[in-house]
């Protein structure tokens, strides 16, 4: 779980290109929901608590950045993020 948590943190800290759109694509909503679930799970794990605050800040910034992307770029970025989350989950299984 700790590896998944750290990897999730790295995934959220990836830069995104800025454009102009305040509506999130479904893939982005799904990615954010999955990430929020991982954060809740990570909060229950010993040793990850000090990093939770930074992960939450990264997620908040990621949401803001995604809102600035055009719909096509949002979709591509979040689909890639979802693929990364799935790979991380598979590694933990």
């Amino acid at each position: 779980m700790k590896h998944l948590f750290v990897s999730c943190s790295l995934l959220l800290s990836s830069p995104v290109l800025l454009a102009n759109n305040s509506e999130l694509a479904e893939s982005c909503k799904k990615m954010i929901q999955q990430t929020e679930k991982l954060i809740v799970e990570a909060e229950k794990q010993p040793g990850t608590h000090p990093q939770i605050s930074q992960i939450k800040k990264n997620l908040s910034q990621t949401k803001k950045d995604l809102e600035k992307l055009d719909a096509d770029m949002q979709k591509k970025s979040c689909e890639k993020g979802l693929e990364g989350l799935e790979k991380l989950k598979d590694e933990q299984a």
Side-chain angles (χ1 to χ4, degrees):
M1 177 54 125
K2 189 171 183 177
H3 175 70
L4 178 62
F5 180 72
V6 171
S7 298
C8 184
S9 172
L10 294 173
L11 180 66
L12 289 175
S13 64
S14 300
V16 293
L17 302 173
L18 301 179
N20 187 13
N21 188 358
S22 62
E23 194 66 30
L24 287 178
E26 285 303 312
S27 58
C28 292
K29 291 175 186 177
K30 185 176 179 181
M31 183 188 74
I32 290 167
Q33 288 173 341
Q34 287 185 9
T35 303
E36 288 171 340
K37 286 180 184 177
L38 290 173
I39 290 171
V40 169
E41 290 176 25
E43 286 176 317
K44 299 174 186 174
Q45 300 298 317
T48 59
H49 187 64
Q51 299 173 6
I52 296 290
S53 177
Q54 184 60 44
I55 299 271
K56 287 181 179 180
K57 286 179 187 175
N58 288 352
L59 179 59
S60 178
Q61 185 60 50
T62 297
K63 288 178 189 178
K64 291 175 187 174
D65 291 345
L66 286 170
E67 289 174 350
K68 296 175 185 176
L69 293 173
D70 64 49
D72 186 50
M73 200 63 174
Q74 275 187 16
K75 183 179 176 184
K76 288 178 183 177
S77 296
C78 293
E79 285 175 355
K80 186 174 181 178
L82 283 169
E83 288 175 15
L85 286 172
E86 288 303 316
K87 286 180 184 177
L88 292 173
K89 287 179 185 179
D90 290 343
E91 289 175 6
Q92 296 301 311

